[in-house]
Amino acid sequence: HLPTDKMDVTFARSSGAGGQNVNKVNTKAEVRFSMSGAKSWLPRYTVKQLSAMERNRINKRGEFVVQSQRHRTQEKNLHDCYAKIFDMIRDASHVPNEASEEKQERIKELAEKATESRIKRKKEHSSKKKDRK
């Protein structure tokens, strides 16, 4: 559930197909909210991650801006904006699990093994080319 009262909603004319409807109706939805104000309803970690993951959506005033003109109605485009914001917040809220020591050891072993096999292949290839002379 998003606090829609803390978000500014504006509508504008959409671009693209739609015939005369495109020239008459403001169907493109734009939702914006202040990233500094988001700290009151989002955890700090999520705000920080969201800022890093979606830095192109933040304007010079520190507002997070999301647009939608996918649909032909304001209502659907507004819901699409909210869905996009919800998905982005959910992705930013994800905390990766720490790998256990056994798993880290296994990862290290596999990396070393891969390096060894790569070097072995390079040496074989090199000797094959040397033998051609």
Side-chain angles (χ1 to χ4, degrees):
H1 173 256
L2 295 171
T4 55
D5 58 319
K6 297 187 179 177
M7 298 180 184
D8 295 326
V9 177
T10 55
F11 297 101
R13 295 214 167 98
S14 286
S15 63
Q20 290 179 338
N21 192 55
V22 137
N23 302 324
K24 295 187 293 186
V25 185
N26 293 334
T27 55
K28 179 171 83 171
E30 185 177 87
V31 177
R32 57 181 67 217
F33 60 89
S34 168
M35 287 302 281
S36 59
K39 292 174 183 164
S40 66
W41 53 275
L42 282 176
R44 289 195 188 284
Y45 172 81
T46 304
V47 173
K48 189 175 175 184
Q49 282 294 104
L50 191 61
S51 297
M53 291 170 71
E54 302 290 341
R55 64 181 170 270
N56 293 336
R57 293 185 185 271
I58 300 171
N59 64 17
K60 290 178 183 172
R61 291 186 295 218
E63 296 173 324
F64 191 84
V65 182
V66 176
Q67 297 179 4
S68 176
Q69 55 184 0
R70 186 178 297 171
H71 304 284
R72 286 177 59 106
T73 65
Q74 281 185 354
E75 186 180 356
K76 286 182 181 176
N77 282 329
L78 184 59
H79 287 299
D80 189 40
C81 283
Y82 289 144
K84 285 180 183 180
I85 292 170
F86 182 81
D87 290 342
M88 287 182 240
I89 290 173
R90 186 191 60 225
D91 293 345
S93 299
H94 176 70
V95 179
N97 295 337
E98 280 293 317
S100 65
E101 273 191 46
E102 296 166 356
K103 193 168 187 175
Q104 287 177 343
E105 188 84 20
R106 177 85 173 125
I107 291 169
K108 190 175 177 182
E109 286 174 17
L110 288 172
E112 288 171 359
K113 197 173 182 181
T115 304
E116 286 176 22
S117 69
R118 182 180 58 84
I119 291 171
K120 183 181 173 192
R121 278 196 316 273
K122 283 178 74 174
K123 285 183 180 177
E124 287 172 359
H125 188 67
S126 174
S127 68
K128 186 192 328 179
K129 286 189 150 201
K130 267 186 192 169
D131 293 343
R132 290 182 187 161
K133 292 181 180 176

Coordinates of all heavy atoms in Angstrom, one line a residue, residues 43-128:
P43 N 11.7 2.6 4.8 CA 13.0 2.5 5.6 C 14.2 3.1 4.8 O 14.2 3.2 3.6 CB 13.2 0.9 5.6 CG 11.9 0.3 5.2 CD 11.2 1.4 4.4
R44 N 15.1 3.6 5.6 CA 16.3 4.3 5.1 C 17.0 3.5 4.0 O 17.5 4.0 3.0 CB 17.3 4.7 6.2 CG 16.7 5.8 7.0 CD 17.8 6.5 7.8 NE 17.3 7.4 8.8 CZ 16.9 8.6 8.5 NH1 16.9 9.0 7.3 NH2 16.5 9.4 9.5
Y45 N 17.2 2.1 4.3 CA 17.9 1.2 3.4 C 17.2 1.2 2.0 O 17.8 1.3 1.0 CB 17.9 -0.2 4.0 CG 18.4 -1.2 3.0 CD1 19.8 -1.4 2.8 CD2 17.5 -2.0 2.3 CE1 20.2 -2.3 1.9 CE2 18.0 -3.0 1.4 CZ 19.4 -3.1 1.2 OH 19.8 -4.0 0.3
T46 N 15.8 1.2 2.1 CA 15.1 1.1 0.8 C 15.2 2.5 0.0 O 15.4 2.4 -1.2 CB 13.6 0.9 1.1 OG1 13.5 -0.3 1.9 CG2 12.8 0.7 -0.1
V47 N 15.2 3.6 0.7 CA 15.3 4.9 0.1 C 16.7 5.0 -0.6 O 16.8 5.4 -1.7 CB 15.1 6.0 1.1 CG1 15.4 7.4 0.4 CG2 13.7 6.0 1.6
K48 N 17.7 4.5 0.1 CA 19.1 4.5 -0.4 C 19.2 3.7 -1.6 O 19.8 4.1 -2.6 CB 20.0 4.1 0.7 CG 21.5 4.3 0.4 CD 22.3 3.9 1.6 CE 23.8 4.0 1.3 NZ 24.6 3.5 2.4
Q49 N 18.7 2.4 -1.5 CA 18.7 1.5 -2.7 C 17.9 2.0 -3.8 O 18.4 1.9 -5.0 CB 18.2 0.1 -2.2 CG 19.1 -0.7 -1.4 CD 20.4 -1.1 -2.2 OE1 21.4 -0.5 -2.0 NE2 20.2 -2.0 -3.1
L50 N 16.8 2.6 -3.6 CA 15.9 3.1 -4.6 C 16.7 4.2 -5.4 O 16.6 4.3 -6.6 CB 14.6 3.6 -4.1 CG 13.5 4.0 -5.0 CD1 13.1 2.8 -5.9 CD2 12.3 4.5 -4.3
S51 N 17.3 5.1 -4.6 CA 18.1 6.2 -5.2 C 19.2 5.7 -6.1 O 19.5 6.3 -7.1 CB 18.7 7.1 -4.1 OG 17.7 7.7 -3.3
A52 N 19.8 4.6 -5.6 CA 20.9 4.1 -6.4 C 20.4 3.3 -7.7 O 21.0 3.5 -8.8 CB 21.8 3.1 -5.5
M53 N 19.4 2.5 -7.5 CA 18.9 1.7 -8.6 C 18.2 2.5 -9.7 O 18.2 2.2 -10.8 CB 17.9 0.6 -8.0 CG 18.6 -0.5 -7.2 SD 17.5 -1.5 -6.4 CE 16.8 -2.5 -7.7
E54 N 17.5 3.5 -9.2 CA 16.7 4.3 -10.2 C 17.1 5.8 -10.2 O 16.3 6.7 -10.2 CB 15.2 4.2 -9.8 CG 14.6 2.8 -9.7 CD 14.5 2.2 -11.1 OE1 14.4 2.9 -12.1 OE2 14.4 1.0 -11.2
R55 N 18.4 6.0 -10.2 CA 18.9 7.4 -10.1 C 18.5 8.3 -11.3 O 18.4 9.5 -11.2 CB 20.4 7.4 -9.9 CG 21.2 6.9 -11.1 CD 22.7 7.0 -10.7 NE 23.5 6.2 -11.7 CZ 23.8 5.0 -11.6 NH1 23.4 4.3 -10.6 NH2 24.5 4.4 -12.5
N56 N 18.2 7.6 -12.5 CA 17.8 8.4 -13.6 C 16.3 9.0 -13.5 O 15.9 9.8 -14.3 CB 17.9 7.6 -14.9 CG 19.3 7.2 -15.3 OD1 20.2 7.9 -14.9 ND2 19.5 6.1 -16.0
R57 N 15.6 8.5 -12.6 CA 14.2 8.9 -12.3 C 14.2 10.1 -11.3 O 13.1 10.6 -11.1 CB 13.3 7.8 -11.9 CG 13.1 6.7 -12.9 CD 12.2 5.7 -12.3 NE 12.0 4.6 -13.2 CZ 11.1 4.5 -14.2 NH1 10.3 5.5 -14.4 NH2 11.0 3.4 -15.0
I58 N 15.3 10.4 -10.8 CA 15.3 11.5 -9.8 C 15.7 12.8 -10.4 O 16.8 12.9 -11.0 CB 16.2 11.1 -8.6 CG1 15.7 9.8 -7.9 CG2 16.3 12.3 -7.6 CD1 16.6 9.3 -6.9
N59 N 14.9 13.9 -10.3 CA 15.3 15.1 -11.0 C 16.2 16.0 -10.1 O 16.5 15.6 -8.9 CB 14.0 15.9 -11.4 CG 13.1 16.3 -10.2 OD1 13.5 16.3 -9.1 ND2 11.9 16.6 -10.6
K60 N 16.5 17.2 -10.5 CA 17.4 18.0 -9.8 C 16.9 18.5 -8.4 O 17.6 18.9 -7.5 CB 17.8 19.2 -10.6 CG 18.7 18.9 -11.8 CD 19.0 20.1 -12.7 CE 19.8 19.7 -13.9 NZ 20.0 20.8 -14.8
R61 N 15.5 18.5 -8.3 CA 14.9 18.9 -7.1 C 14.8 17.8 -6.1 O 14.2 18.0 -5.0 CB 13.5 19.5 -7.4 CG 13.6 20.9 -8.1 CD 12.2 21.5 -8.2 NE 11.4 20.6 -9.1 CZ 10.5 21.0 -10.0 NH1 10.3 22.3 -10.1 NH2 9.8 20.2 -10.7
G62 N 15.3 16.6 -6.4 CA 15.2 15.5 -5.5 C 13.9 14.8 -5.5 O 13.5 14.1 -4.6
E63 N 13.2 14.9 -6.6 CA 11.9 14.3 -6.8 C 12.0 13.0 -7.6 O 12.7 13.0 -8.6 CB 10.8 15.2 -7.4 CG 10.5 16.4 -6.6 CD 9.6 17.4 -7.4 OE1 9.8 17.5 -8.7 OE2 8.8 18.0 -6.8
F64 N 11.3 12.0 -7.2 CA 11.3 10.7 -7.9 C 10.1 10.8 -8.8 O 9.0 11.0 -8.4 CB 11.1 9.5 -6.9 CG 11.3 8.2 -7.5 CD1 12.6 7.6 -7.6 CD2 10.2 7.4 -7.9 CE1 12.8 6.4 -8.1 CE2 10.4 6.2 -8.5 CZ 11.7 5.7 -8.6
V65 N 10.3 10.7 -10.1 CA 9.3 10.9 -11.1 C 9.0 9.6 -11.9 O 10.0 9.0 -12.5 CB 9.7 12.0 -12.1 CG1 8.6 12.3 -13.1 CG2 10.0 13.3 -11.3
V66 N 7.8 9.2 -12.0 CA 7.4 8.0 -12.8 C 6.2 8.5 -13.7 O 5.3 9.1 -13.3 CB 6.9 6.9 -11.9 CG1 6.4 5.7 -12.7 CG2 8.0 6.4 -11.0
Q67 N 6.3 8.1 -15.0 CA 5.3 8.4 -16.0 C 4.7 7.2 -16.6 O 5.4 6.1 -16.7 CB 5.9 9.2 -17.2 CG 6.5 10.6 -16.8 CD 7.1 11.3 -18.0 OE1 7.0 10.8 -19.1 NE2 7.7 12.4 -17.8
S68 N 3.5 7.3 -17.1 CA 2.9 6.2 -17.9 C 1.9 6.8 -18.9 O 1.1 7.6 -18.6 CB 2.1 5.3 -16.9 OG 1.5 4.3 -17.7
Q69 N 2.1 6.3 -20.1 CA 1.1 6.7 -21.2 C 0.8 5.4 -22.0 O 0.5 5.5 -23.2 CB 1.7 7.8 -22.1 CG 3.0 7.5 -22.7 CD 3.6 8.7 -23.4 OE1 2.9 9.7 -23.5 NE2 4.7 8.5 -24.0
R70 N 0.9 4.3 -21.3 CA 0.6 3.0 -21.9 C -0.8 2.8 -22.3 O -1.1 2.2 -23.3 CB 1.1 1.9 -21.0 CG 1.0 0.5 -21.5 CD 1.5 -0.5 -20.5 NE 2.9 -0.2 -20.1 CZ 3.5 -0.8 -19.2 NH1 2.9 -1.7 -18.4 NH2 4.8 -0.6 -18.9
H71 N -1.7 3.4 -21.5 CA -3.2 3.1 -21.7 C -3.9 4.4 -22.3 O -3.3 5.5 -22.3 CB -3.8 2.7 -20.4 CG -3.2 1.5 -19.8 ND1 -3.4 0.2 -20.3 CD2 -2.3 1.4 -18.8 CE1 -2.7 -0.6 -19.6 NE2 -2.0 0.0 -18.6
R72 N -5.1 4.2 -22.6 CA -5.9 5.3 -23.2 C -6.7 6.1 -22.2 O -7.4 7.1 -22.5 CB -6.8 4.8 -24.3 CG -6.1 4.5 -25.6 CD -7.1 3.9 -26.6 NE -8.2 4.8 -26.9 CZ -8.3 5.5 -28.1 NH1 -7.3 5.3 -29.0 NH2 -9.3 6.2 -28.3
T73 N -6.6 5.7 -20.9 CA -7.4 6.5 -19.9 C -6.4 6.9 -18.8 O -5.4 6.3 -18.5 CB -8.5 5.6 -19.2 OG1 -7.9 4.5 -18.6 CG2 -9.4 5.1 -20.3
Q74 N -6.8 8.0 -18.1 CA -6.0 8.6 -17.0 C -6.0 7.6 -15.9 O -4.9 7.3 -15.3 CB -6.7 9.8 -16.5 CG -6.5 11.1 -17.2 CD -7.1 12.3 -16.5 OE1 -7.8 12.2 -15.5 NE2 -6.8 13.5 -17.1
E75 N -7.1 7.0 -15.6 CA -7.2 6.0 -14.4 C -6.2 4.9 -14.6 O -5.5 4.5 -13.7 CB -8.6 5.5 -14.3 CG -8.8 4.7 -13.1 CD -10.3 4.2 -13.0 OE1 -11.1 4.6 -13.8 OE2 -10.5 3.4 -12.0
K76 N -6.2 4.3 -15.8 CA -5.3 3.1 -16.0 C -3.9 3.5 -16.0 O -3.0 2.8 -15.4 CB -5.6 2.4 -17.3 CG -6.9 1.6 -17.3 CD -7.2 0.9 -18.6 CE -8.4 0.1 -18.6 NZ -8.7 -0.4 -19.9
N77 N -3.5 4.7 -16.5 CA -2.2 5.2 -16.5 C -1.7 5.5 -15.1 O -0.6 5.3 -14.7 CB -2.0 6.4 -17.4 CG -1.9 6.0 -18.9 OD1 -1.4 4.9 -19.2 ND2 -2.4 6.9 -19.7
L78 N -2.6 6.0 -14.3 CA -2.3 6.4 -12.9 C -2.0 5.1 -12.1 O -1.0 5.0 -11.4 CB -3.5 7.1 -12.2 CG -3.2 7.6 -10.8 CD1 -2.0 8.5 -10.7 CD2 -4.5 8.3 -10.3
H79 N -2.9 4.1 -12.3 CA -2.7 2.8 -11.7 C -1.3 2.1 -12.1 O -0.6 1.5 -11.3 CB -3.8 1.8 -11.9 CG -5.1 2.2 -11.1 ND1 -5.1 2.2 -9.7 CD2 -6.3 2.6 -11.5 CE1 -6.3 2.6 -9.3 NE2 -7.0 2.8 -10.4
D80 N -1.0 2.3 -13.4 CA 0.2 1.8 -13.9 C 1.4 2.5 -13.3 O 2.4 1.8 -12.9 CB 0.3 2.0 -15.5 CG 1.4 1.3 -16.1 OD1 1.7 0.1 -15.7 OD2 2.1 1.9 -17.0
C81 N 1.3 3.8 -13.0 CA 2.4 4.5 -12.3 C 2.6 4.0 -10.9 O 3.7 3.7 -10.5 CB 2.1 6.0 -12.2 SG 2.4 6.9 -13.7
Y82 N 1.5 3.8 -10.2 CA 1.5 3.3 -8.8 C 2.1 1.8 -8.8 O 2.9 1.5 -8.0 CB 0.2 3.3 -8.2 CG -0.3 4.7 -7.8 CD1 -1.7 5.0 -7.9 CD2 0.5 5.7 -7.4 CE1 -2.1 6.2 -7.6 CE2 0.1 6.9 -7.1 CZ -1.2 7.2 -7.2 OH -1.7 8.5 -6.8
A83 N 1.8 1.0 -9.8 CA 2.3 -0.3 -9.9 C 3.8 -0.3 -10.2 O 4.6 -1.1 -9.6 CB 1.6 -1.1 -11.0
K84 N 4.2 0.6 -11.0 CA 5.7 0.7 -11.3 C 6.4 1.1 -10.0 O 7.5 0.5 -9.7 CB 5.9 1.8 -12.4 CG 5.6 1.4 -13.8 CD 5.9 2.6 -14.7 CE 5.5 2.2 -16.2 NZ 5.8 3.4 -17.1
I85 N 5.9 2.1 -9.3 CA 6.5 2.6 -8.1 C 6.6 1.4 -7.1 O 7.6 1.2 -6.4 CB 5.8 3.8 -7.5 CG1 6.0 5.0 -8.4 CG2 6.3 4.1 -6.1 CD1 5.1 6.2 -8.0
F86 N 5.5 0.7 -6.9 CA 5.4 -0.4 -6.0 C 6.5 -1.5 -6.3 O 7.2 -2.0 -5.5 CB 4.0 -1.1 -6.0 CG 3.9 -2.2 -5.1 CD1 3.6 -1.9 -3.7 CD2 4.0 -3.5 -5.5 CE1 3.5 -3.0 -2.8 CE2 3.8 -4.6 -4.6 CZ 3.6 -4.3 -3.3
D87 N 6.6 -1.8 -7.6 CA 7.6 -2.8 -8.1 C 9.0 -2.3 -7.8 O 9.9 -3.1 -7.3 CB 7.4 -3.1 -9.5 CG 6.1 -3.9 -9.8 OD1 5.6 -4.5 -8.9 OD2 5.7 -3.9 -11.0
M88 N 9.3 -1.1 -8.0 CA 10.6 -0.5 -7.8 C 11.0 -0.5 -6.3 O 12.1 -0.9 -6.0 CB 10.7 0.9 -8.4 CG 10.8 0.9 -9.9 SD 11.0 2.6 -10.4 CE 9.5 2.8 -11.4
I89 N 10.0 -0.2 -5.5 CA 10.2 -0.2 -4.0 C 10.4 -1.6 -3.6 O 11.3 -1.9 -2.7 CB 9.1 0.5 -3.3 CG1 9.1 2.0 -3.6 CG2 9.1 0.2 -1.8 CD1 7.9 2.7 -3.0
R90 N 9.7 -2.6 -4.1 CA 9.8 -4.0 -3.7 C 11.2 -4.5 -4.1 O 11.9 -5.1 -3.3 CB 8.7 -4.8 -4.4 CG 8.8 -6.3 -3.9 CD 7.9 -7.2 -4.7 NE 8.4 -7.2 -6.1 CZ 7.6 -7.1 -7.1 NH1 6.3 -7.0 -7.0 NH2 8.1 -7.1 -8.4
D91 N 11.7 -4.1 -5.3 CA 13.0 -4.5 -5.7 C 14.1 -3.9 -4.9 O 15.1 -4.5 -4.5 CB 13.2 -4.2 -7.2 CG 12.3 -5.0 -8.1 OD1 11.8 -6.0 -7.7 OD2 12.2 -4.6 -9.3
A92 N 13.9 -2.6 -4.5 CA 14.9 -1.9 -3.7 C 14.9 -2.4 -2.3 O 15.9 -2.3 -1.6 CB 14.6 -0.4 -3.7
S93 N 13.8 -3.0 -1.8 CA 13.7 -3.5 -0.4 C 14.3 -4.8 -0.2 O 14.6 -5.3 0.9 CB 12.2 -3.6 0.0 OG 11.7 -2.3 0.0
H94 N 14.6 -5.5 -1.3 CA 15.2 -6.9 -1.2 C 16.6 -6.9 -0.6 O 17.5 -6.1 -1.1 CB 15.2 -7.5 -2.6 CG 15.9 -8.9 -2.6 ND1 15.3 -10.0 -2.1 CD2 17.1 -9.3 -3.1 CE1 16.1 -11.0 -2.2 NE2 17.2 -10.6 -2.8
V95 N 16.7 -7.6 0.5 CA 18.0 -7.7 1.1 C 18.6 -9.1 0.7 O 18.0 -10.1 1.0 CB 17.9 -7.7 2.7 CG1 19.2 -7.8 3.3 CG2 17.2 -6.4 3.1
P96 N 19.8 -9.1 0.1 CA 20.4 -10.4 -0.3 C 20.8 -11.2 0.9 O 21.3 -10.7 1.9 CB 21.6 -10.0 -1.2 CG 21.9 -8.6 -0.8 CD 20.6 -8.0 -0.3
N97 N 20.6 -12.5 0.8 CA 21.0 -13.4 1.9 C 22.6 -13.6 1.9 O 23.2 -13.6 0.8 CB 20.4 -14.8 1.7 CG 18.9 -14.8 1.8 OD1 18.4 -13.9 2.4 ND2 18.3 -15.8 1.2
E98 N 23.1 -13.7 3.1 CA 24.5 -13.9 3.2 C 24.8 -15.4 2.9 O 24.1 -16.3 3.4 CB 25.0 -13.6 4.7 CG 25.2 -12.1 4.9 CD 26.4 -11.6 4.1 OE1 27.4 -12.2 4.0 OE2 26.2 -10.5 3.5
A99 N 25.9 -15.7 2.2 CA 26.2 -17.1 1.9 C 26.9 -17.7 3.1 O 27.7 -17.0 3.8 CB 27.2 -17.1 0.7
S100 N 26.7 -18.9 3.4 CA 27.3 -19.6 4.5 C 28.8 -19.8 4.2 O 29.2 -19.7 3.1 CB 26.6 -20.9 4.8 OG 26.9 -21.8 3.7
E101 N 29.6 -20.1 5.3 CA 31.0 -20.3 5.1 C 31.3 -21.4 4.1 O 32.2 -21.3 3.3 CB 31.7 -20.5 6.5 CG 32.1 -19.3 7.2 CD 33.0 -19.6 8.3 OE1 33.9 -20.3 8.2 OE2 32.7 -19.0 9.4
E102 N 30.5 -22.5 4.3 CA 30.7 -23.6 3.4 C 30.4 -23.2 1.9 O 31.2 -23.6 1.0 CB 29.7 -24.8 3.7 CG 29.9 -25.4 5.1 CD 28.8 -26.2 5.5 OE1 27.7 -26.3 4.8 OE2 28.9 -26.8 6.6
K103 N 29.4 -22.4 1.7 CA 29.1 -22.0 0.3 C 30.2 -21.0 -0.2 O 30.6 -21.1 -1.4 CB 27.7 -21.3 0.3 CG 27.2 -21.1 -1.1 CD 25.7 -20.7 -1.0 CE 25.2 -20.6 -2.4 NZ 23.7 -20.4 -2.4
Q104 N 30.7 -20.2 0.7 CA 31.7 -19.2 0.2 C 33.0 -20.0 -0.1 O 33.7 -19.7 -1.1 CB 32.0 -18.2 1.3 CG 31.0 -17.2 1.5 CD 31.2 -16.2 2.6 OE1 32.0 -16.5 3.5 NE2 30.5 -15.1 2.6
E105 N 33.3 -21.1 0.7 CA 34.4 -21.9 0.4 C 34.3 -22.6 -1.0 O 35.2 -22.7 -1.7 CB 34.6 -23.0 1.5 CG 35.8 -23.8 1.5 CD 37.0 -23.1 2.1 OE1 36.8 -22.2 2.9 OE2 38.1 -23.5 1.8
R106 N 33.1 -23.1 -1.2 CA 32.8 -23.8 -2.5 C 32.9 -22.9 -3.6 O 33.5 -23.2 -4.7 CB 31.4 -24.4 -2.4 CG 30.9 -25.1 -3.6 CD 31.4 -26.5 -3.7 NE 30.7 -27.2 -4.8 CZ 31.4 -27.8 -5.8 NH1 32.7 -27.9 -5.7 NH2 30.8 -28.4 -6.8
I107 N 32.4 -21.7 -3.5 CA 32.5 -20.6 -4.5 C 34.0 -20.4 -4.8 O 34.4 -20.3 -6.0 CB 31.8 -19.4 -4.2 CG1 30.3 -19.6 -4.1 CG2 32.1 -18.2 -5.1 CD1 29.5 -18.5 -3.5
K108 N 34.8 -20.2 -3.8 CA 36.2 -19.9 -3.9 C 36.9 -21.1 -4.7 O 37.7 -20.9 -5.6 CB 36.9 -19.7 -2.6 CG 38.3 -19.2 -2.6 CD 38.8 -18.9 -1.2 CE 40.2 -18.4 -1.2 NZ 40.7 -18.2 0.1
E109 N 36.6 -22.3 -4.3 CA 37.2 -23.5 -4.9 C 36.8 -23.6 -6.4 O 37.7 -23.8 -7.3 CB 36.7 -24.8 -4.3 CG 37.3 -25.1 -2.9 CD 36.6 -26.3 -2.3 OE1 35.9 -27.1 -3.0 OE2 36.8 -26.5 -1.1
L110 N 35.6 -23.3 -6.7 CA 35.1 -23.3 -8.1 C 35.8 -22.2 -8.9 O 36.2 -22.5 -10.1 CB 33.6 -23.2 -8.2 CG 32.8 -24.4 -7.8 CD1 31.3 -24.0 -7.7 CD2 33.0 -25.5 -8.7
A111 N 36.0 -21.1 -8.4 CA 36.7 -20.0 -9.1 C 38.2 -20.3 -9.3 O 38.7 -20.1 -10.4 CB 36.7 -18.7 -8.2
E112 N 38.8 -20.9 -8.3 CA 40.2 -21.4 -8.5 C 40.3 -22.4 -9.6 O 41.2 -22.4 -10.4 CB 40.8 -21.9 -7.2 CG 41.1 -20.8 -6.2 CD 41.4 -21.3 -4.8 OE1 41.5 -22.5 -4.6 OE2 41.7 -20.5 -3.9
K113 N 39.4 -23.4 -9.6 CA 39.4 -24.5 -10.5 C 39.2 -23.9 -12.0 O 39.8 -24.4 -12.9 CB 38.3 -25.5 -10.2 CG 38.4 -26.8 -10.8 CD 37.3 -27.7 -10.3 CE 37.4 -29.1 -10.8 NZ 36.4 -30.0 -10.3
A114 N 38.3 -23.0 -12.1 CA 38.0 -22.3 -13.4 C 39.3 -21.6 -13.9 O 39.6 -21.7 -15.1 CB 36.9 -21.4 -13.3
T115 N 40.0 -20.9 -13.0 CA 41.2 -20.2 -13.4 C 42.2 -21.2 -13.9 O 42.9 -21.0 -14.9 CB 41.7 -19.4 -12.2 OG1 40.7 -18.5 -11.8 CG2 42.9 -18.6 -12.6
E116 N 42.4 -22.3 -13.1 CA 43.4 -23.3 -13.5 C 43.1 -23.9 -14.9 O 44.0 -24.1 -15.7 CB 43.4 -24.5 -12.5 CG 44.1 -24.1 -11.2 CD 44.0 -25.2 -10.1 OE1 43.8 -26.4 -10.5 OE2 44.1 -24.9 -8.9
S117 N 41.8 -24.3 -15.1 CA 41.5 -24.9 -16.4 C 41.7 -23.9 -17.5 O 42.1 -24.3 -18.6 CB 40.1 -25.4 -16.4 OG 39.1 -24.4 -16.3
R118 N 41.4 -22.6 -17.3 CA 41.6 -21.6 -18.3 C 43.1 -21.5 -18.7 O 43.4 -21.4 -19.9 CB 41.0 -20.2 -17.8 CG 41.2 -19.1 -18.8 CD 40.6 -17.8 -18.3 NE 41.3 -17.4 -17.1 CZ 42.4 -16.7 -17.1 NH1 43.0 -16.4 -18.2 NH2 43.0 -16.4 -15.9
I119 N 43.9 -21.4 -17.7 CA 45.4 -21.3 -17.9 C 45.9 -22.6 -18.6 O 46.7 -22.5 -19.5 CB 46.1 -21.1 -16.6 CG1 45.8 -19.7 -16.1 CG2 47.6 -21.2 -16.7 CD1 46.2 -19.4 -14.7
K120 N 45.4 -23.7 -18.2 CA 45.8 -25.0 -18.9 C 45.4 -25.0 -20.4 O 46.2 -25.3 -21.2 CB 45.1 -26.2 -18.2 CG 45.5 -27.5 -18.7 CD 44.7 -28.6 -18.0 CE 45.0 -30.0 -18.7 NZ 44.1 -31.0 -18.2
R121 N 44.2 -24.5 -20.7 CA 43.7 -24.4 -22.1 C 44.6 -23.4 -22.9 O 45.0 -23.7 -24.0 CB 42.3 -23.9 -22.2 CG 41.3 -25.0 -22.0 CD 39.9 -24.6 -22.4 NE 39.5 -23.3 -22.0 CZ 38.9 -22.9 -20.9 NH1 38.6 -23.9 -20.0 NH2 38.5 -21.7 -20.6
K122 N 45.0 -22.3 -22.2 CA 45.9 -21.3 -22.9 C 47.2 -22.0 -23.2 O 47.8 -21.8 -24.3 CB 46.0 -20.1 -22.0 CG 44.8 -19.2 -22.0 CD 45.0 -18.0 -21.1 CE 46.0 -17.0 -21.7 NZ 46.1 -15.8 -20.9
K123 N 47.8 -22.7 -22.3 CA 49.1 -23.3 -22.5 C 49.0 -24.4 -23.6 O 49.9 -24.5 -24.4 CB 49.6 -24.0 -21.2 CG 50.1 -22.9 -20.2 CD 50.7 -23.6 -18.9 CE 51.2 -22.5 -18.0 NZ 51.7 -23.1 -16.7
E124 N 47.9 -25.2 -23.6 CA 47.8 -26.2 -24.6 C 47.7 -25.5 -26.0 O 48.3 -26.0 -27.0 CB 46.5 -27.0 -24.4 CG 46.6 -28.0 -23.3 CD 45.3 -28.7 -22.9 OE1 44.3 -28.4 -23.5 OE2 45.3 -29.5 -22.0
H125 N 46.9 -24.4 -26.1 CA 46.8 -23.7 -27.4 C 48.1 -23.1 -27.8 O 48.5 -23.2 -29.0 CB 45.7 -22.6 -27.2 CG 45.3 -21.9 -28.4 ND1 44.7 -22.6 -29.5 CD2 45.5 -20.7 -28.9 CE1 44.4 -21.8 -30.4 NE2 45.0 -20.6 -30.1
S126 N 48.8 -22.6 -26.8 CA 50.1 -22.0 -27.1 C 51.1 -23.1 -27.7 O 51.8 -22.8 -28.7 CB 50.7 -21.3 -25.9 OG 52.0 -20.9 -26.1
S127 N 51.1 -24.2 -27.0 CA 52.1 -25.3 -27.4 C 51.7 -25.8 -28.8 O 52.5 -26.2 -29.6 CB 52.1 -26.4 -26.4 OG 50.9 -27.1 -26.4
K128 N 50.4 -25.9 -29.1 CA 49.9 -26.3 -30.4 C 50.4 -25.4 -31.5 O 50.9 -25.8 -32.5 CB 48.4 -26.4 -30.4 CG 47.8 -26.9 -31.6 CD 46.3 -26.8 -31.9 CE 45.4 -26.7 -30.6 NZ 44.0 -26.5 -31.0

